[in-house]
């Protein structure tokens, strides 16, 4: 087992193992270091020796031994008995005793502790639960990597002394917004990787869906939890049609809709229809409703763009932001014409998305619709230069070449 296949095994295990170690021993930062060392050991040993029968227990054993080694070197005199107890009775094939809770879910709520600022909650959770690198998190925040590294380091120190346990109901509610935002970002990174040779990182989308299902079971009446789950299910249903055999990107309008996962699609559409009928409408529900309208169209030309434009208008009032404006510009262009879409897009010219490859790509698309082939080609070329995703870059270069 090498490369992506090994990463698919290790990535979902990392937050689970980290959750167990933090629950057992506290000391968040030391536990995360131990997990990283265990993952490194697995990446070296497993390709040569094979994956153990119980990968999670193997990682727990190695991680615990790394903790013991650390404590032995740091506090030899004071911690000798503790480190001996940690090692006593451990066996790499021994299964972890169930606690009745999902440790990754508990870890998720710990990372969203109210002692942290919202931005620190998101950054720490993306690192500890999502397994994203500091560089990937920086791109998600549109912030310098050094800033994110400092933010994560401070957040680790802040949560280090807090109990590892699922919070009480009121505290859980106060953390819910950050939890959902983190899961949303983890899913988005898995669905469209910000960098690298692959468009998708299915390990991230699967873990995000698994965790949001857990939150939905905890809070079945919460409309935004259900909305986020519906959004993920509908979006994930399209993944089989998003790439060609060579890994190239296939845009929504050109996808073979027979390849969509009808089970996930049906579950997501049914969930959002039920939720919007009974719960106060929020941004995740609105995004899920937009995805459902796309999902219900048998062909691209059957898409109900006026309804989508109207939903984006509501979304921009409920949760305004540059990415909402970006997506709304496409819908407005489809309904009112490309010039109207370009006018809306121009409102982003002095915001955080200035020069972002997706703004350039949308502008290119609208210019192409308007008949400005030279302008569209230049925007596609510039977008291709700015993206760090290889599949997106190839797609944008192909679009530019078609207009050559």
């Amino acid at each position: 087992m090498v490369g992506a296949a090994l990463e698919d095994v290790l990535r979902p295990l990392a937050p689970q193992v980290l959750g167990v170690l933090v629950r057992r021993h506290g000391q968040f930062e030391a536990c995360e270091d131990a997990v990283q060392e265990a993952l490194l050991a697995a990446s070296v040993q497993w390709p040569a020796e094979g994956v153990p029968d119980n990968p999670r227990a193997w990682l727990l054993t190695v991680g615990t031994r790394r903790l013991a080694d650390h404590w032995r070197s740091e506090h030899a005199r004071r911690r000798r008995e503790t480190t001996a107890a940690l090692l006593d009775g451990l066996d790499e094939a021994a299964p972890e005793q169930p606690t009745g809770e999902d440790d990754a879910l508990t870890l998720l709520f710990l990372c969203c502790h109210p002692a942290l600022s919202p931005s620190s909650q998101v950054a720490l959770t993306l690192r500890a639960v999502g397994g994203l690198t500091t560089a990937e998190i920086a791109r998600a925040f549109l912030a310098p990597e050094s800033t994110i590294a400092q933010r994560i380091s401070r957040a680790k120190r802040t949560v280090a002394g807090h109990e590892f346990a699922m919070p009480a109901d009121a505290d859980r509610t106060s953390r819910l917004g950050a939890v959902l935002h983190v899961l949303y970002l983890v899913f988005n990174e898995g669905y469209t990787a910000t960098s690298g040779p692959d468009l998708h990182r299915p390990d991230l989308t699967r873990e995000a869906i698994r965790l949001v299902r857990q939150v939905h079971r905890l809070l079945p009446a919460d409309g935004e939890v259900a909305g986020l789950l519906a959004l993920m299910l509908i979006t994930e249903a399209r993944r089989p049609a998003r790439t060609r055999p060579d890994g190239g990107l296939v845009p929504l309008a050109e996808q073979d809709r027979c390849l969509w996962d009808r089970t996930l699609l049906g579950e997501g559409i049914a969930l959002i229809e039920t939720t919007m009928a009974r719960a106060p409408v929020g941004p995740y529900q609105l995004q899920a409703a937009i995805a459902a309208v796309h999902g219900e169209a048998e062909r691209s030309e059957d898409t109900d763009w006026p309804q989508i434009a109207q939903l984006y208008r509501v979304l921009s009032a409920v949760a305004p932001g540059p990415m909402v404006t970006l997506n709304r510009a496409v819908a407005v262009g489809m309904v009112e014409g490309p010039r109207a879409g370009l006018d809306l897009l121009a409102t982003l010219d002095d915001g955080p998305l200035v020069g972002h490859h997706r703004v350039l790509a949308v502008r290119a698309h609208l210019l192409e619709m308007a008949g400005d082939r030279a302008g569209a080609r230049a925007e596609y070329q510039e977008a291709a230069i700015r993206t760090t995703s290889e599949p997106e870059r190839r797609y944008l270069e192909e679009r530019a070449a078609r207009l050559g």
Side-chain angles (χ1 to χ4, degrees):
M1 178 179 290
V2 295
L6 179 61
E7 186 176 350
D8 285 346
V9 174
L10 290 175
R11 186 177 292 276
L13 290 174
Q16 299 176 36
V17 173
L18 178 58
V20 173
L21 292 180
V22 174
R23 172 168 52 80
R24 284 178 174 179
H25 313 301
Q27 302 195 32
F28 190 103
E29 191 161 10
C31 289
E32 192 195 26
D33 290 343
V35 171
Q36 293 303 314
E37 291 185 28
L39 294 173
L40 179 60
S43 68
V44 172
Q45 294 182 39
W46 291 4
E49 302 172 6
V51 178
D53 293 336
N54 191 333
R56 183 169 177 267
W58 191 98
L59 291 170
L60 278 171
T61 299
V62 174
T64 303
R65 287 174 176 165
R66 294 295 190 271
L67 274 177
D69 291 342
H70 168 72
W71 289 333
R72 183 181 292 114
S73 62
E74 294 285 330
H75 309 287
R77 294 178 183 175
R78 291 181 296 163
R79 304 301 297 270
R80 186 169 300 166
E81 292 182 1
T82 303
T83 55
L86 285 173
L87 294 173
D88 185 35
L90 284 175
D91 184 277
E92 72 179 44
E96 169 70 9
Q97 294 299 312
T99 64
E101 292 182 347
D102 186 307
D103 284 311
L105 186 61
T106 305
L107 179 65
L108 177 61
F109 276 89
L110 176 66
C111 291
C112 294
H113 196 282
L116 300 174
S117 68
S119 58
S120 294
Q121 291 172 338
V122 174
L124 179 60
T125 313
L126 290 174
R127 182 73 187 90
V129 180
L132 274 65
T133 66
T134 304
E136 289 166 343
I137 298 169
R139 283 192 289 271
F141 274 93
L142 304 176
E145 188 172 342
S146 59
T147 300
I148 297 302
Q150 293 172 4
R151 187 177 301 169
I152 292 172
S153 180
R154 288 195 299 268
K156 289 178 184 177
R157 291 195 295 269
T158 300
V159 302
H162 292 281
E163 180 185 8
F164 185 84
M166 185 62 70
D169 290 348
D171 193 10
R172 186 185 304 163
T173 301
S174 71
R175 303 186 198 188
L176 185 60
V179 166
L180 296 183
H181 185 49
V182 165
L183 293 174
Y184 178 76
L185 291 177
V186 171
F187 181 87
N188 284 347
E189 177 63 27
Y191 194 69
T192 305
T194 53
S195 62
D198 299 318
L199 183 65
H200 301 126
R201 293 171 64 175
D203 54 320
L204 290 183
T205 57
R206 286 194 297 265
E207 183 66 3
I209 291 173
R210 187 186 75 83
L211 287 171
V212 81
R213 283 191 190 277
Q214 295 272 30
V215 179
H216 183 50
R217 280 194 285 271
L218 277 176
L219 303 167
D222 190 284
E224 280 295 82
V225 175
L228 180 57
L229 178 56
L231 173 62
M232 288 183 180
L233 293 172
I234 296 169
T235 306
E236 181 72 359
R238 300 200 299 257
R239 183 165 59 84
R242 286 189 76 223
T243 52
R244 300 191 301 258
D246 64 356
L249 185 153
V250 181
L252 179 61
E254 299 174 17
Q255 288 175 15
D256 180 356
R257 302 187 177 207
C258 294
L259 298 177
W260 288 358
D261 187 324
R262 294 291 164 177
T263 300
L264 288 179
L265 184 64
E267 182 186 357
I269 291 175
L271 180 57
I272 192 56
E273 287 177 347
T274 302
T275 300
M276 292 191 76
R278 62 170 173 76
V281 174
Y284 294 122
Q285 293 172 69
L286 289 166
Q287 290 178 72
I290 292 166
V293 175
H294 281 295
E296 289 170 336
E298 292 297 325
R299 302 174 303 164
S300 176
E301 53 266 36
D302 298 332
T303 303
D304 188 346
W305 282 106
Q307 184 180 1
I308 290 174
Q310 178 69 4
L311 286 167
Y312 269 121
R313 186 184 69 80
V314 178
L315 180 59
S316 66
V318 172
M323 292 304 295
V324 174
T325 301
L326 177 63
N327 290 318
R328 185 184 175 197
V330 176
V332 168
M334 296 298 292
V335 176
E336 301 178 24
R339 290 299 170 187
L342 287 165
D343 289 342
L344 182 57
L345 194 66
T347 63
L348 299 176
D349 287 347
D350 59 353
L353 292 185
V354 170
H356 195 284
H357 74 277
R358 287 180 183 162
V359 174
L360 297 169
V362 169
R363 184 178 291 115
H365 171 67
L366 292 170
L367 287 171
E368 185 177 358
M369 287 176 59
D372 184 352
R373 294 172 61 88
R377 183 170 183 268
E379 294 291 321
Y380 279 131
Q381 289 175 327
E382 184 64 22
I385 292 171
R386 291 177 180 265
T387 184
T388 54
S389 164
E390 293 182 25
E392 285 187 331
R393 176 181 53 76
R394 291 199 304 271
Y395 169 74
L396 293 166
E397 289 173 345
E398 289 169 4
R399 297 293 300 187
R402 292 181 194 175
L403 300 172

